[in-house]
Structure formats: structure tokens, C-alpha cells
Amino acid sequence: YLQKWKLSGKTLSHLSSGQKQLLVILRALSLRADLLLLDEPTSHLDPERTREVESMLSAWLTPEKSILVISHSEEQAERLGNNISFESL
């Protein structure tokens, strides 16, 4: 994904907000955690990258792993979630 998303060989100062967000998601997945807490994980991404990240997150899930996603997008919650709660402040 580093090469596919053109992140390889770049310094942080040369990355856009969306590229930094992609890098953080890749890093989180590489840590081999059992739980990911993601706040607006695709907020700076275009629709194509959003679909790729959602697909990657879905593929990462197993019965032993969970993701808690905070999102303003009901559509994204429905695509990713199996236990959805909508809260309004």
C-alpha cells in the first residue's frame, strides 16, 4: 500500500492530510492489535481511497479482533458496522 498510495520515500512534511491519514491507518494495522479505535478514519480521503480503507479494515476483522469507528457518515457506519449506535449531542 505504501507504493500503491505513493507514500513510499516521502517525508511527513511532504504528505497531504489524507496521505498522513492513510499512513496512520497502515501503521495501526501493522501493530497486530486486537482492537482499533478509529475517529473519522476516512474524513480526508476521496471516495476511492475510502472504499479501499473500508475494504482493508473489513479484511482485518476476525472473531478475535474489533474496530470501534466514530463516523459522521451513516452510510459508512452501515458498510462497516455490525453493531451500530447513533448518538446525537
Side-chain angles (χ1 to χ4, degrees):
Y1 282 100
L2 289 175
Q3 292 176 347
K4 178 180 182 178
W5 291 339
K6 298 180 175 94
L7 301 174
S8 186
K10 292 187 177 180
T11 62
L12 284 177
S13 62
H14 291 101
L15 297 178
S16 68
S17 296
Q19 289 173 316
K20 288 177 185 174
Q21 198 163 7
L22 291 169
L23 189 60
V24 168
I25 291 168
L26 290 174
R27 183 174 183 262
L29 292 173
S30 74
L31 295 176
R32 293 184 169 74
D34 292 331
L35 173 65
L36 295 180
L37 306 174
L38 304 175
D39 184 11
E40 295 288 332
T42 60
S43 62
H44 295 289
L45 304 181
D46 61 45
E48 180 182 352
R49 293 291 177 262
T50 295
R51 285 189 299 276
E52 288 178 335
V53 168
E54 289 174 353
S55 177
M56 189 172 26
L57 293 173
S58 294
W60 178 84
L61 285 170
T62 67
E64 297 81 27
K65 295 179 180 181
S66 299
I67 300 173
L68 175 64
V69 177
I70 307 301
S71 177
H72 292 286
S73 168
E74 289 183 29
E75 294 84 11
Q76 183 174 58
E78 290 171 358
R79 285 191 304 268
L80 286 176
N82 60 9
N83 186 354
I84 301 169
S85 175
F86 295 101
E87 298 292 328
S88 178
L89 295 177

Coordinates of all heavy atoms in Angstrom, one line a residue:
Y1 N 0.8 -1.2 0.0 CA 0.0 0.0 0.0 C 0.9 1.3 0.0 O 0.4 2.3 -0.5 CB -1.0 0.0 1.2 CG -2.2 -0.9 1.0 CD1 -2.2 -2.2 1.5 CD2 -3.2 -0.5 0.2 CE1 -3.3 -3.0 1.3 CE2 -4.3 -1.3 0.0 CZ -4.4 -2.5 0.5 OH -5.4 -3.3 0.3
L2 N 2.0 1.2 0.6 CA 2.9 2.4 0.6 C 3.2 2.8 -0.8 O 3.1 4.0 -1.2 CB 4.2 2.1 1.3 CG 4.1 2.0 2.9 CD1 5.4 1.6 3.5 CD2 3.6 3.3 3.5
Q3 N 3.5 1.9 -1.7 CA 3.8 2.2 -3.1 C 2.5 2.5 -3.9 O 2.5 3.5 -4.6 CB 4.6 1.1 -3.8 CG 6.0 1.0 -3.2 CD 6.8 -0.2 -3.7 OE1 6.2 -1.0 -4.4 NE2 8.1 -0.2 -3.5
K4 N 1.5 1.7 -3.6 CA 0.2 1.9 -4.3 C -0.3 3.3 -4.1 O -0.9 4.0 -5.0 CB -0.8 0.9 -3.9 CG -2.1 1.0 -4.5 CD -3.1 0.0 -4.1 CE -4.4 0.1 -4.7 NZ -5.4 -0.9 -4.3
W5 N -0.2 3.8 -2.8 CA -0.8 5.1 -2.5 C 0.3 6.2 -2.6 O 0.1 7.3 -2.1 CB -1.4 5.0 -1.1 CG -2.6 4.2 -1.0 CD1 -3.4 3.9 -2.0 CD2 -3.1 3.6 0.2 NE1 -4.5 3.1 -1.5 CE2 -4.3 3.0 -0.2 CE3 -2.8 3.6 1.5 CZ2 -5.1 2.3 0.7 CZ3 -3.6 2.9 2.4 CH2 -4.7 2.3 2.0
K6 N 1.4 5.9 -3.1 CA 2.5 6.9 -3.4 C 3.0 7.5 -2.0 O 3.2 8.7 -2.0 CB 2.1 7.9 -4.4 CG 1.8 7.3 -5.7 CD 1.4 8.4 -6.7 CE 1.2 7.7 -8.1 NZ -0.1 7.3 -8.4
L7 N 3.2 6.7 -1.0 CA 3.7 7.2 0.3 C 5.1 6.8 0.5 O 5.8 7.4 1.3 CB 2.8 6.6 1.4 CG 1.3 6.8 1.4 CD1 0.6 6.0 2.5 CD2 1.0 8.3 1.5
S8 N 5.6 5.9 -0.2 CA 7.0 5.4 -0.1 C 8.0 6.4 -0.4 O 7.9 7.1 -1.4 CB 7.2 4.1 -0.9 OG 8.4 3.6 -0.7
G9 N 9.0 6.6 0.5 CA 10.1 7.5 0.2 C 9.8 9.0 0.5 O 10.6 9.8 0.3
K10 N 8.6 9.3 1.0 CA 8.3 10.7 1.3 C 8.4 11.0 2.8 O 8.1 10.1 3.6 CB 6.8 11.0 0.8 CG 6.6 11.0 -0.6 CD 5.2 11.5 -1.0 CE 5.0 11.5 -2.5 NZ 3.7 12.0 -2.8
T11 N 8.8 12.2 3.1 CA 8.8 12.6 4.5 C 7.4 13.1 4.9 O 6.6 13.5 4.0 CB 9.8 13.7 4.7 OG1 9.4 14.9 3.9 CG2 11.2 13.3 4.3
L12 N 7.1 13.1 6.2 CA 5.8 13.6 6.7 C 5.5 15.0 6.2 O 4.3 15.3 5.9 CB 5.8 13.5 8.2 CG 5.6 12.1 8.8 CD1 5.6 12.2 10.3 CD2 4.3 11.5 8.3
S13 N 6.5 15.8 6.1 CA 6.2 17.2 5.7 C 5.7 17.3 4.3 O 5.2 18.4 3.9 CB 7.4 18.1 6.0 OG 8.5 17.6 5.2
H14 N 6.0 16.3 3.5 CA 5.6 16.3 2.1 C 4.3 15.5 1.8 O 3.9 15.3 0.6 CB 6.7 15.8 1.2 CG 7.9 16.7 1.1 ND1 9.0 16.4 1.9 CD2 8.1 17.8 0.4 CE1 9.9 17.4 1.6 NE2 9.3 18.3 0.8
L15 N 3.6 15.1 2.9 CA 2.4 14.3 2.7 C 1.2 15.2 3.0 O 1.2 16.1 3.8 CB 2.3 13.2 3.7 CG 3.4 12.1 3.5 CD1 3.2 11.0 4.6 CD2 3.3 11.5 2.2
S16 N 0.1 15.0 2.2 CA -1.2 15.7 2.4 C -1.8 15.2 3.7 O -1.4 14.1 4.2 CB -2.1 15.5 1.2 OG -2.5 14.2 1.2
S17 N -2.9 15.8 4.1 CA -3.6 15.3 5.3 C -4.2 13.9 5.0 O -4.1 13.0 5.9 CB -4.8 16.3 5.6 OG -4.3 17.5 6.0
G18 N -4.7 13.7 3.8 CA -5.2 12.4 3.5 C -4.1 11.3 3.5 O -4.3 10.2 3.9
Q19 N -3.0 11.7 2.9 CA -1.9 10.7 2.9 C -1.4 10.4 4.3 O -1.0 9.2 4.6 CB -0.7 11.3 2.1 CG -1.0 11.3 0.6 CD 0.1 12.0 -0.2 OE1 0.6 13.1 0.2 NE2 0.4 11.4 -1.3
K20 N -1.3 11.4 5.2 CA -0.9 11.1 6.6 C -2.0 10.2 7.3 O -1.6 9.3 8.0 CB -0.8 12.4 7.3 CG 0.4 13.3 7.0 CD 0.4 14.6 7.7 CE 1.5 15.5 7.2 NZ 1.5 16.8 7.8
Q21 N -3.2 10.4 6.9 CA -4.3 9.6 7.5 C -4.1 8.1 7.0 O -4.2 7.2 7.8 CB -5.6 10.1 7.1 CG -6.8 9.6 7.9 CD -8.0 10.5 7.7 OE1 -8.0 11.4 6.9 NE2 -9.0 10.2 8.5
L22 N -3.8 7.9 5.8 CA -3.6 6.6 5.2 C -2.4 5.9 6.0 O -2.4 4.7 6.3 CB -3.3 6.6 3.7 CG -4.5 7.0 2.9 CD1 -4.0 7.2 1.4 CD2 -5.5 5.9 2.9
L23 N -1.3 6.7 6.2 CA -0.1 6.2 6.8 C -0.5 5.7 8.3 O 0.0 4.7 8.7 CB 1.0 7.2 6.8 CG 2.3 6.8 7.2 CD1 2.9 5.7 6.4 CD2 3.3 8.0 7.2
V24 N -1.2 6.5 9.0 CA -1.6 6.2 10.3 C -2.4 4.9 10.4 O -2.2 4.0 11.2 CB -2.4 7.3 11.0 CG1 -3.0 6.9 12.3 CG2 -1.4 8.5 11.2
I25 N -3.4 4.7 9.4 CA -4.2 3.5 9.4 C -3.3 2.3 9.1 O -3.4 1.3 9.7 CB -5.3 3.7 8.3 CG1 -6.3 4.7 8.8 CG2 -6.0 2.3 8.0 CD1 -7.3 5.1 7.8
L26 N -2.4 2.4 8.1 CA -1.5 1.3 7.8 C -0.6 1.0 9.1 O -0.4 -0.2 9.4 CB -0.5 1.7 6.7 CG -1.2 1.7 5.3 CD1 -0.2 2.2 4.3 CD2 -1.8 0.4 4.9
R27 N -0.2 2.0 9.8 CA 0.6 1.7 11.0 C -0.2 1.0 12.0 O 0.3 0.0 12.7 CB 1.2 3.0 11.5 CG 2.0 2.8 12.8 CD 2.7 4.2 13.2 NE 3.5 3.9 14.3 CZ 3.2 4.1 15.6 NH1 2.0 4.6 15.9 NH2 4.1 3.9 16.6
A28 N -1.4 1.4 12.2 CA -2.3 0.8 13.2 C -2.5 -0.7 12.9 O -2.5 -1.5 13.8 CB -3.6 1.5 13.3
L29 N -2.8 -1.0 11.6 CA -3.0 -2.4 11.2 C -1.7 -3.2 11.4 O -1.8 -4.4 11.6 CB -3.5 -2.4 9.8 CG -4.8 -1.8 9.5 CD1 -5.1 -1.8 8.0 CD2 -5.9 -2.6 10.3
S30 N -0.5 -2.6 11.3 CA 0.7 -3.3 11.4 C 1.1 -3.7 12.9 O 1.9 -4.5 13.1 CB 1.9 -2.6 10.8 OG 2.2 -1.5 11.6
L31 N 0.4 -3.1 13.8 CA 0.7 -3.3 15.2 C 0.2 -4.6 15.8 O 0.5 -5.0 16.9 CB 0.2 -2.1 16.1 CG 0.9 -0.8 15.8 CD1 0.2 0.3 16.6 CD2 2.4 -0.8 16.1
R32 N -0.7 -5.3 15.0 CA -1.2 -6.5 15.4 C -2.1 -6.4 16.7 O -2.0 -7.3 17.6 CB -0.2 -7.6 15.5 CG 0.5 -8.0 14.2 CD 1.5 -9.1 14.4 NE 1.9 -9.7 13.2 CZ 2.8 -9.2 12.3 NH1 3.3 -8.0 12.6 NH2 3.2 -9.8 11.3
A33 N -2.8 -5.4 16.8 CA -3.7 -5.2 18.0 C -4.9 -6.0 17.8 O -5.3 -6.4 16.7 CB -4.0 -3.7 18.1
D34 N -5.7 -6.2 18.9 CA -6.9 -6.9 18.8 C -8.1 -5.9 18.7 O -9.2 -6.3 18.4 CB -7.1 -7.7 20.1 CG -6.2 -8.9 20.1 OD1 -5.8 -9.4 19.0 OD2 -5.8 -9.3 21.2
L35 N -7.8 -4.6 19.0 CA -8.9 -3.6 18.9 C -8.3 -2.3 18.4 O -7.2 -1.8 18.8 CB -9.4 -3.3 20.4 CG -10.4 -2.2 20.5 CD1 -11.7 -2.4 19.8 CD2 -10.6 -1.9 22.0
L36 N -9.0 -1.8 17.4 CA -8.7 -0.5 16.8 C -9.7 0.5 17.2 O -10.9 0.2 17.0 CB -8.5 -0.5 15.3 CG -7.5 -1.4 14.7 CD1 -7.5 -1.3 13.2 CD2 -6.1 -0.9 15.2
L37 N -9.4 1.7 17.6 CA -10.3 2.8 17.9 C -10.0 3.9 16.9 O -8.9 4.5 16.9 CB -10.0 3.4 19.3 CG -10.1 2.4 20.5 CD1 -9.7 3.0 21.8 CD2 -11.4 1.7 20.6
L38 N -10.9 4.1 16.0 CA -10.7 5.0 14.8 C -11.7 6.1 14.9 O -12.9 5.9 14.8 CB -10.8 4.2 13.5 CG -9.9 3.0 13.4 CD1 -10.2 2.2 12.1 CD2 -8.5 3.4 13.4
D39 N -11.2 7.3 14.9 CA -12.1 8.5 14.9 C -12.0 9.1 13.5 O -11.0 9.7 13.1 CB -11.6 9.5 15.9 CG -12.5 10.7 16.1 OD1 -13.6 10.7 15.5 OD2 -12.1 11.7 16.7
E40 N -13.1 9.0 12.8 CA -13.2 9.6 11.4 C -12.0 9.1 10.5 O -11.3 9.9 10.0 CB -13.3 11.1 11.4 CG -14.5 11.7 12.1 CD -15.8 11.5 11.3 OE1 -15.7 11.4 10.0 OE2 -16.8 11.4 11.8
P41 N -11.9 7.8 10.4 CA -10.7 7.3 9.7 C -10.6 7.7 8.2 O -9.5 7.6 7.7 CB -10.8 5.8 9.9 CG -12.2 5.5 10.0 CD -12.8 6.7 10.8
T42 N -11.6 8.1 7.6 CA -11.6 8.4 6.2 C -12.0 9.8 5.9 O -12.3 10.1 4.7 CB -12.4 7.4 5.4 OG1 -13.8 7.5 5.8 CG2 -11.9 6.0 5.5
S43 N -12.0 10.7 6.9 CA -12.5 12.0 6.7 C -11.8 12.9 5.7 O -12.4 13.8 5.1 CB -12.6 12.8 8.0 OG -11.2 12.9 8.6
H44 N -10.5 12.6 5.4 CA -9.7 13.4 4.5 C -9.5 12.7 3.2 O -8.7 13.1 2.4 CB -8.4 13.8 5.1 CG -8.5 14.7 6.2 ND1 -8.9 16.0 6.1 CD2 -8.3 14.5 7.5 CE1 -8.9 16.6 7.3 NE2 -8.5 15.7 8.2
L45 N -10.2 11.6 2.9 CA -10.0 10.7 1.8 C -11.0 10.9 0.7 O -12.2 11.1 1.0 CB -9.9 9.3 2.2 CG -8.9 8.9 3.3 CD1 -8.9 7.4 3.6 CD2 -7.5 9.4 2.9
D46 N -10.6 10.7 -0.5 CA -11.6 10.7 -1.6 C -12.4 9.4 -1.6 O -12.0 8.4 -0.9 CB -10.9 10.9 -3.0 CG -9.9 9.8 -3.3 OD1 -10.2 8.6 -3.1 OD2 -8.8 10.1 -3.8
P47 N -13.5 9.3 -2.3 CA -14.3 8.1 -2.3 C -13.6 6.8 -2.6 O -13.8 5.7 -2.0 CB -15.4 8.4 -3.3 CG -15.5 9.9 -3.3 CD -14.1 10.4 -3.1
E48 N -12.7 6.8 -3.6 CA -11.9 5.6 -4.0 C -11.0 5.1 -2.8 O -11.0 4.0 -2.5 CB -11.0 5.9 -5.2 CG -10.3 4.7 -5.6 CD -9.3 5.0 -6.8 OE1 -9.4 6.1 -7.4 OE2 -8.6 4.1 -7.2
R49 N -10.3 6.0 -2.2 CA -9.5 5.6 -1.0 C -10.3 5.2 0.1 O -10.0 4.3 0.9 CB -8.5 6.8 -0.6 CG -7.5 7.1 -1.6 CD -6.4 6.0 -1.8 NE -5.5 6.4 -2.8 CZ -5.6 5.9 -4.1 NH1 -6.5 5.1 -4.4 NH2 -4.7 6.3 -4.9
T50 N -11.5 5.9 0.3 CA -12.4 5.5 1.4 C -12.8 4.0 1.2 O -12.8 3.3 2.2 CB -13.6 6.4 1.4 OG1 -13.2 7.7 1.8 CG2 -14.6 6.0 2.5
R51 N -13.2 3.7 0.0 CA -13.6 2.3 -0.2 C -12.4 1.3 0.0 O -12.6 0.2 0.6 CB -14.1 2.1 -1.6 CG -15.5 2.7 -1.8 CD -16.1 2.4 -3.2 NE -15.3 2.9 -4.3 CZ -15.4 4.1 -4.8 NH1 -16.2 5.0 -4.3 NH2 -14.6 4.5 -5.8
E52 N -11.2 1.7 -0.4 CA -10.0 0.8 -0.2 C -9.8 0.6 1.3 O -9.5 -0.5 1.8 CB -8.8 1.4 -0.9 CG -8.8 1.3 -2.4 CD -7.6 2.0 -3.0 OE1 -7.0 2.9 -2.4 OE2 -7.3 1.5 -4.1
V53 N -9.8 1.7 2.1 CA -9.6 1.6 3.5 C -10.7 0.8 4.2 O -10.4 -0.1 5.0 CB -9.5 3.0 4.2 CG1 -9.5 3.0 5.7 CG2 -8.2 3.7 3.7
E54 N -11.9 1.0 3.8 CA -13.0 0.2 4.4 C -12.9 -1.3 4.1 O -13.1 -2.1 4.9 CB -14.4 0.7 3.9 CG -14.8 2.1 4.4 CD -16.0 2.6 3.8 OE1 -16.6 2.0 2.8 OE2 -16.5 3.7 4.3
S55 N -12.4 -1.6 2.9 CA -12.2 -2.9 2.5 C -11.0 -3.5 3.3 O -11.1 -4.7 3.8 CB -11.9 -3.0 1.0 OG -11.6 -4.3 0.6
M56 N -10.0 -2.8 3.5 CA -8.8 -3.2 4.2 C -9.2 -3.5 5.7 O -8.8 -4.5 6.3 CB -7.7 -2.2 4.1 CG -6.4 -2.6 4.7 SD -5.0 -1.5 4.4 CE -5.8 0.1 4.2
L57 N -10.0 -2.6 6.3 CA -10.5 -2.7 7.7 C -11.4 -4.0 7.8 O -11.2 -4.7 8.7 CB -11.2 -1.5 8.1 CG -10.3 -0.2 8.3 CD1 -11.2 1.0 8.6 CD2 -9.2 -0.4 9.3
S58 N -12.3 -4.1 6.8 CA -13.1 -5.3 6.9 C -12.3 -6.6 6.8 O -12.7 -7.6 7.5 CB -14.2 -5.2 5.8 OG -15.0 -4.1 6.0
A59 N -11.3 -6.6 5.9 CA -10.5 -7.8 5.8 C -9.7 -8.1 7.1 O -9.3 -9.2 7.4 CB -9.6 -7.7 4.6
W60 N -9.3 -7.0 7.8 CA -8.6 -7.2 9.0 C -9.4 -7.8 10.1 O -8.8 -8.5 11.0 CB -8.1 -5.8 9.5 CG -7.3 -5.8 10.7 CD1 -5.9 -6.0 10.9 CD2 -7.8 -5.5 12.0 NE1 -5.6 -5.9 12.2 CE2 -6.7 -5.5 12.9 CE3 -9.0 -5.2 12.5 CZ2 -6.8 -5.3 14.3 CZ3 -9.2 -4.9 13.9 CH2 -8.1 -5.0 14.8
L61 N -10.7 -7.6 10.1 CA -11.5 -8.2 11.2 C -11.5 -9.7 11.2 O -11.6 -10.3 10.2 CB -13.0 -7.7 11.0 CG -13.2 -6.2 11.4 CD1 -14.6 -5.8 10.9 CD2 -13.0 -6.0 12.9
T62 N -11.5 -10.2 12.4 CA -11.7 -11.6 12.7 C -12.6 -11.7 13.9 O -12.9 -10.7 14.6 CB -10.4 -12.3 13.0 OG1 -9.8 -11.8 14.2 CG2 -9.4 -12.1 11.8
P63 N -13.0 -12.9 14.3 CA -13.8 -13.0 15.5 C -13.0 -12.5 16.8 O -13.6 -12.1 17.8 CB -14.1 -14.5 15.6 CG -14.1 -15.0 14.2 CD -13.0 -14.2 13.5
E64 N -11.7 -12.5 16.7 CA -10.9 -12.1 17.8 C -10.6 -10.6 17.8 O -10.0 -10.1 18.7 CB -9.6 -12.9 17.9 CG -9.8 -14.4 18.1 CD -10.1 -15.1 16.9 OE1 -9.7 -14.7 15.8 OE2 -10.8 -16.2 17.0
K65 N -10.9 -9.9 16.7 CA -10.5 -8.5 16.5 C -11.7 -7.7 16.3 O -12.7 -8.1 15.7 CB -9.6 -8.4 15.3 CG -8.2 -9.1 15.4 CD -7.4 -8.9 14.2 CE -6.1 -9.6 14.3 NZ -5.2 -9.4 13.2
S66 N -11.6 -6.4 16.8 CA -12.7 -5.5 16.7 C -12.3 -4.1 16.3 O -11.1 -3.8 16.6 CB -13.5 -5.4 18.1 OG -14.0 -6.6 18.5
I67 N -13.2 -3.4 15.8 CA -12.9 -2.0 15.4 C -14.0 -1.1 16.0 O -15.2 -1.4 15.7 CB -12.8 -1.8 13.9 CG1 -11.7 -2.6 13.3 CG2 -12.6 -0.3 13.6 CD1 -11.6 -2.6 11.8
L68 N -13.7 -0.1 16.7 CA -14.7 0.9 17.1 C -14.4 2.2 16.2 O -13.4 2.7 16.3 CB -14.5 1.3 18.6 CG -15.4 2.4 19.1 CD1 -16.9 2.0 19.0 CD2 -15.0 2.8 20.5
V69 N -15.4 2.5 15.4 CA -15.3 3.6 14.5 C -16.2 4.7 14.9 O -17.4 4.5 15.0 CB -15.6 3.2 13.0 CG1 -15.5 4.4 12.1 CG2 -14.6 2.1 12.6
I70 N -15.7 5.9 15.0 CA -16.5 7.1 15.2 C -16.7 7.7 13.8 O -15.7 8.0 13.1 CB -15.9 8.2 16.1 CG1 -15.5 7.5 17.4 CG2 -16.8 9.4 16.3 CD1 -16.6 6.9 18.2
S71 N -17.9 7.9 13.3 CA -18.1 8.5 12.0 C -19.3 9.3 12.0 O -20.3 9.1 12.7 CB -18.3 7.3 11.0 OG -18.5 7.8 9.7
H72 N -19.3 10.4 11.1 CA -20.5 11.2 10.9 C -21.3 10.7 9.7 O -22.3 11.2 9.4 CB -20.1 12.7 10.6 CG -19.5 13.3 11.8 ND1 -20.3 13.7 12.9 CD2 -18.2 13.7 12.2 CE1 -19.5 14.3 13.8 NE2 -18.3 14.2 13.4
S73 N -20.8 9.7 9.1 CA -21.4 9.1 7.9 C -22.2 7.9 8.3 O -21.6 6.8 8.6 CB -20.3 8.7 6.8 OG -20.9 7.9 5.8
E74 N -23.5 8.0 8.2 CA -24.4 6.8 8.5 C -24.1 5.7 7.4 O -24.1 4.5 7.8 CB -25.8 7.2 8.4 CG -26.2 8.1 9.6 CD -27.7 8.4 9.6 OE1 -28.5 7.6 9.1 OE2 -28.0 9.5 10.2
E75 N -23.8 6.1 6.2 CA -23.6 5.1 5.1 C -22.3 4.3 5.5 O -22.3 3.1 5.3 CB -23.4 5.8 3.8 CG -24.6 6.5 3.3 CD -24.9 7.9 3.8 OE1 -23.9 8.4 4.5 OE2 -26.0 8.4 3.6
Q76 N -21.3 5.0 5.9 CA -20.0 4.3 6.3 C -20.3 3.4 7.5 O -19.8 2.2 7.5 CB -18.9 5.3 6.6 CG -17.6 4.6 6.9 CD -16.5 5.5 7.1 OE1 -16.5 6.4 8.0 NE2 -15.5 5.4 6.3
A77 N -21.0 3.8 8.5 CA -21.3 3.0 9.6 C -22.1 1.7 9.2 O -21.8 0.6 9.7 CB -22.2 3.8 10.6
E78 N -23.0 1.9 8.2 CA -23.7 0.7 7.8 C -22.8 -0.2 7.0 O -23.0 -1.4 7.0 CB -24.9 1.2 7.0 CG -26.0 1.8 7.8 CD -27.1 2.5 7.1 OE1 -27.1 2.5 5.8 OE2 -28.0 3.0 7.7
R79 N -21.9 0.3 6.2 CA -21.0 -0.5 5.4 C -20.0 -1.3 6.3 O -19.7 -2.4 6.1 CB -20.2 0.3 4.4 CG -20.9 0.8 3.2 CD -20.0 1.4 2.2 NE -19.2 2.5 2.7 CZ -19.5 3.8 2.6 NH1 -20.7 4.2 2.1 NH2 -18.7 4.7 3.0
L80 N -19.5 -0.6 7.4 CA -18.5 -1.2 8.3 C -19.1 -2.0 9.5 O -18.5 -2.9 10.0 CB -17.5 -0.2 8.8 CG -16.5 0.4 7.8 CD1 -15.7 1.5 8.5 CD2 -15.6 -0.7 7.3
G81 N -20.2 -1.5 10.0 CA -20.6 -2.0 11.3 C -21.5 -3.2 11.3 O -22.2 -3.5 10.3
N82 N -21.5 -3.8 12.4 CA -22.5 -4.9 12.7 C -23.2 -4.6 14.0 O -24.1 -5.3 14.4 CB -21.9 -6.3 12.7 CG -20.8 -6.4 13.7 OD1 -20.5 -5.6 14.5 ND2 -20.1 -7.5 13.6
N83 N -22.7 -3.6 14.7 CA -23.4 -3.1 16.0 C -23.3 -1.6 15.9 O -22.3 -1.0 16.3 CB -22.6 -3.7 17.2 CG -23.4 -3.4 18.5 OD1 -24.3 -2.6 18.5 ND2 -22.9 -3.9 19.6
I84 N -24.3 -0.9 15.5 CA -24.3 0.5 15.2 C -25.2 1.2 16.2 O -26.3 0.9 16.5 CB -24.8 0.8 13.8 CG1 -24.0 0.0 12.8 CG2 -24.9 2.3 13.5 CD1 -24.6 0.0 11.4
S85 N -24.6 2.3 16.7 CA -25.3 3.2 17.7 C -25.2 4.6 17.2 O -24.1 5.1 16.9 CB -24.7 3.1 19.1 OG -25.3 4.0 19.9
F86 N -26.3 5.3 17.0 CA -26.3 6.7 16.6 C -26.6 7.6 17.8 O -27.6 7.5 18.4 CB -27.3 6.9 15.5 CG -27.0 6.2 14.2 CD1 -27.7 5.0 13.9 CD2 -26.0 6.7 13.3 CE1 -27.4 4.3 12.7 CE2 -25.7 6.0 12.2 CZ -26.4 4.8 11.8
E87 N -25.6 8.4 18.1 CA -25.8 9.3 19.2 C -25.8 10.8 18.7 O -25.0 11.1 17.8 CB -24.6 9.2 20.2 CG -24.5 7.8 20.8 CD -25.7 7.5 21.8 OE1 -26.2 8.4 22.4 OE2 -26.1 6.3 21.8
S88 N -26.6 11.6 19.3 CA -26.6 13.0 18.9 C -26.4 13.8 20.2 O -26.9 13.5 21.3 CB -28.0 13.3 18.4 OG -28.1 14.7 18.0
L89 N -25.6 14.8 20.0 CA -25.3 15.7 21.2 C -26.2 16.9 21.2 O -26.7 17.4 20.3 CB -23.8 16.2 21.1 CG -22.8 15.1 21.3 CD1 -21.4 15.7 21.1 CD2 -22.9 14.4 22.6

